């Protein structure tokens, strides 16, 4: 019982580490958030970002990845 729990915790930890490293270092290589189609408005002290193109690309990539992993 605890053997399976330990394996699951290690898998989750490794996944979180990989995602954290991608988020931390990925900004240098992946321009997510500053693609054409990502909207940013600024007025005085207020700013609003709507990353439409980045969201669509991320959704497509995650859908393909999920279909490959869970078939």
């Amino acid at each position: 019982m605890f053997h399976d729990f330990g394996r699951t915790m290690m898998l989750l930890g490794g996944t979180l580490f990989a995602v954290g490293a991608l988020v931390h270092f990925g900004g240098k290589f992946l321009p997510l958030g500053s693609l054409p189609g990502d909207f940013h408005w600024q007025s005085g002290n207020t700013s609003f970002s709507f990353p439409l193109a980045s969201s669509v690309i991320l959704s497509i990539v995650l859908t393909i990845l999920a279909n490959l992993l869970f078939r």
Side-chain angles (χ1 to χ4, degrees):
M1 178 175 166
F2 286 112
H3 182 264
D4 292 333
F5 180 70
R7 183 181 304 166
T8 302
M9 292 301 289
M10 287 191 300
L11 182 64
L12 287 174
T15 303
L16 282 174
F17 179 79
V19 169
L22 183 65
V23 168
H24 181 70
F25 297 113
K28 298 175 185 172
F29 307 110
L30 302 171
L32 292 177
S34 60
L35 294 172
D38 291 340
F39 302 104
H40 182 76
W41 292 278
Q42 187 169 1
S43 174
N45 292 342
T46 305
S47 64
F48 177 75
S49 294
F50 187 69
L52 181 65
S54 295
S55 298
V56 170
I57 290 174
L58 189 62
S59 175
I60 290 170
V61 168
L62 289 176
T63 300
I64 291 170
L65 196 71
N67 281 325
L68 290 174
L69 291 176
F70 296 115
R71 279 196 170 213

